[in-house]
DNA sequence: ATATATTTTTAGACTAGTCTAAATTTTATT
DNA sequence: AATAAAATTTAGACTAGTCTAAAAATATAT
């Protein structure tokens, strides 16, 4: 009997889920907004930087294992089992990101690549002890929510900076784009999670904003305001 | 061009070493006593619980990448490059074991399985920050030495309990067999790293020892004394 | 020195996961 | 409704890593 042996997690001699399957589940979970919506083959392929034909192959395997419901040409939707498996991968990813930033001096633009690896480590005890060690964080270094053991996510009232009306005092609570480039640009602007500023004015021409940060005015483009989550402070 | 894409570490777009290759390198490294001796195909197969034919296949790949020197039917020996790659895997394995015990409340019999996964995470920064976070430990929870960044290992004067002469005061500094079974048995005997005891007498019949631990006599079999490393205290 | 046993390698097969190119189905446009 | 475009699936090929069975080389025993 051939089981691939390496790279595959085995519990009680039953194969649970491979690294590759986990990556597909995670992609479906995130594209579908945490398991809600149905997801197209192409959307998965694009997100995972792979080919649609590969996605179709994998979707069939996931359907066989009842992680997704699948009808040809109709896209997929996570089952409850799939949603839980996927949320667990995301939980691990985000917990490890917190660990790297809080304990190992990583900056928020350095953690993602390593967390992509760490999220596949299989050990319930490890995940839960890590959670406790970090004092049960609710959000990762990019402001994204960390699902709990049961896959439950606390939803917060964050809103995109671009939606905020002039005069509001805001606190930065997350990023929509968490690319290295954007994060480093925010560093340069001295904007990070917890940064407080006021929306001074909005330019009609290009929808750029002028915000007041540390008493000084700062202009931010529409691209920035469209990718920064804030909470209104008053 | 096909590169397997997943599971393979890429630095500057050059494939460095796969998870499977790392496992073989580690096995050769440990069998050869940290890269010294030449190692037979069968020895690798036995240690890795795989078939000799698979080992031969992999050996050829490792030789192509100049991690080992290989002549048909003559076994393999690690090159300097191979020794360093292997020592890095062992370094990571043992650092993670320290992390799990010191920070995440794992016991010494629970860490190995998880460390087998964690040892393959590729990030120099992670390894070095973890090392610093743990305050540069020199040994893992089983008393095994942790190679430094350059692959250097501090060698210690530890000796098997079975070699110690009667009357010696010993401090337990490591185990040769680190199976769950042996480690749990030691727990039951209240023997761990740092435990101090005196060798009271040796039984000629079965070479069992009577040791004095916390004022009380305790009998340990030859199997135990052959798998426990100690340092003489005076 | 020869025969036997052991070790190692080779040959051929298999799975997981990927790809390209072609076929099929669904969706959008006239 | 027919056609064109886009999305999706299928067919067939490829690699890494493994296996079994057979062949070849080396080591051991008479
Ligand atoms: Mn991330
Ligand atoms: Mn994140
Ligand atoms: Mn170990
Ligand atoms: Mn160890």
């Amino acid at each position: 009997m051939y089981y691939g042996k390496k790279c595959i997690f085995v519990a009680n001699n039953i194969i649970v889920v491979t690294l590759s399957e986990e990556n597909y589940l995670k992609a479906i979970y995130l594209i579908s907004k945490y398991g809600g919506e149905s997801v197209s083959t192409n959307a998965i392929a694009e997100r995972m930087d792979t080919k649609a034909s590969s996605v179709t192959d994998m979707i069939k395997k996931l359907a066989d294992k009842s992680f997704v419901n699948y009808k040809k040409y109709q896209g997929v939707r996570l089952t409850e089992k799939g949603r839980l498996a996927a949320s667990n991968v995301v939980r691990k990813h985000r917990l490890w990101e917190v660990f790297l930033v809080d304990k190992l001096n990583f900056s928020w633009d350095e953690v993602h690549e390593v967390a992509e690896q760490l999220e596949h480590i299989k050990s319930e005890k490890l995940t839960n002890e890590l959670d406790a060690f970090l004092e049960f964080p609710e959000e990762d270094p990019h402001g994204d929510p960390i699902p709990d053991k049961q896959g439950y996510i606390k939803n917060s009232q964050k809103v995109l900076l671009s939606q905020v009306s002039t005069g509001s005092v805001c606190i930065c609570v997350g990023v929509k784009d968490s690319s290295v480039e954007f994060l480093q640009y925010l560093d340069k602007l001295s904007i990070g999670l917890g940064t407080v500023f006021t929306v001074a004015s909005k330019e009609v021409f290009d929808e750029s904003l002028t915000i007041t940060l540390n008493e000084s005015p700062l202009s931010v483009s529409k691209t920035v305001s469209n990718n920064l989550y804030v909470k209104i402070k008053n």
Side-chain angles (χ1 to χ4, degrees), chain A:
Chain A
M1 230 166 311
Y2 178 86
Y3 278 138
K5 201 169 179 186
K6 315 293 169 171
C7 249
I8 290 177
F9 179 55
V10 174
N12 294 117
N13 263 341
I14 295 150
I15 292 171
V16 177
V17 56
T18 66
L19 183 144
S20 211
E21 286 169 349
E22 282 192 339
N23 281 333
Y24 279 93
L25 287 171
K26 183 181 57 158
I28 297 167
Y29 179 78
L30 293 175
I31 294 168
S32 72
K33 313 240 171 77
Y34 299 102
E37 307 163 10
S38 149
V39 169
S40 77
T41 304
N42 265 1
I44 301 170
E46 188 174 347
R47 174 162 203 130
M48 299 191 63
D49 192 26
T50 185
K51 301 296 165 181
S53 56
S54 307
V55 174
T56 302
D57 284 350
M58 181 56 86
I59 278 174
K60 288 176 184 165
K61 289 173 200 162
L62 293 175
D64 283 348
K65 295 186 176 185
S66 64
F67 286 115
V68 296
N69 290 125
Y70 170 57
K71 273 207 199 89
K72 269 193 197 178
Y73 296 98
Q74 302 308 135
V76 285
R77 173 172 266 134
L78 288 173
T79 61
E80 184 51 27
K81 179 183 169 190
R83 214 200 94 254
L84 204 80
S87 81
N88 195 244
V89 177
V90 171
R91 169 172 159 79
K92 287 187 282 178
H93 182 105
R94 292 179 179 168
L95 283 173
W96 281 114
E97 287 190 344
V98 174
F99 171 72
L100 294 173
V101 167
D102 285 8
K103 307 291 184 182
L104 297 196
N105 304 114
F106 277 62
S107 52
W108 67 347
D109 58 295
E110 294 176 312
V111 296
H112 184 74
E113 188 196 347
V114 185
E116 285 291 305
Q117 300 177 58
L118 286 162
E119 71 190 5
H120 301 291
I121 304 294
K122 267 86 170 183
S123 164
E124 256 193 62
K125 176 164 171 123
L126 173 59
T127 309
N128 294 329
E129 290 285 347
L130 182 65
D131 194 20
F133 183 60
L134 300 172
E135 300 174 88
F136 308 104
E138 293 185 345
E139 280 160 15
D140 82 0
H142 313 103
D144 293 314
I146 299 176
D148 74 9
K149 229 180 290 195
Q150 282 77 40
Y152 177 76
I153 287 175
K154 255 186 111 172
N155 72 329
S156 75
Q157 263 50 40
K158 64 189 177 190
V159 59
L160 285 175
L161 175 56
S162 52
Q163 307 307 116
V164 169
S165 51
T166 309
S168 310
V169 179
C170 302
I171 179 163
C172 172
V173 297
V175 292
K176 190 170 162 204
D177 169 9
S178 51
S179 68
V180 172
E181 295 71 32
F182 184 51
L183 297 175
Q184 287 184 353
Y185 180 54
L186 291 177
D187 284 345
K188 210 155 77 180
L189 300 180
S190 302
I191 297 175
L193 296 199
T195 303
V196 176
F197 52 77
T198 308
V199 179
S201 63
K202 183 175 247 166
E203 181 56 56
V204 181
F205 169 61
D206 62 358
E207 295 184 71
S208 68
L209 296 180
T210 301
I211 65 178
T212 310
L213 204 180
N214 299 324
E215 326 281 285
S216 315
L218 178 67
S219 171
V220 301
S221 70
K222 171 120 170 112
T223 312
V224 168
S225 69
N226 253 335
N227 283 290
L228 207 58
Y229 287 116
V230 298
K231 271 184 185 155
I232 310 299
K233 238 203 144 190
N234 50 7

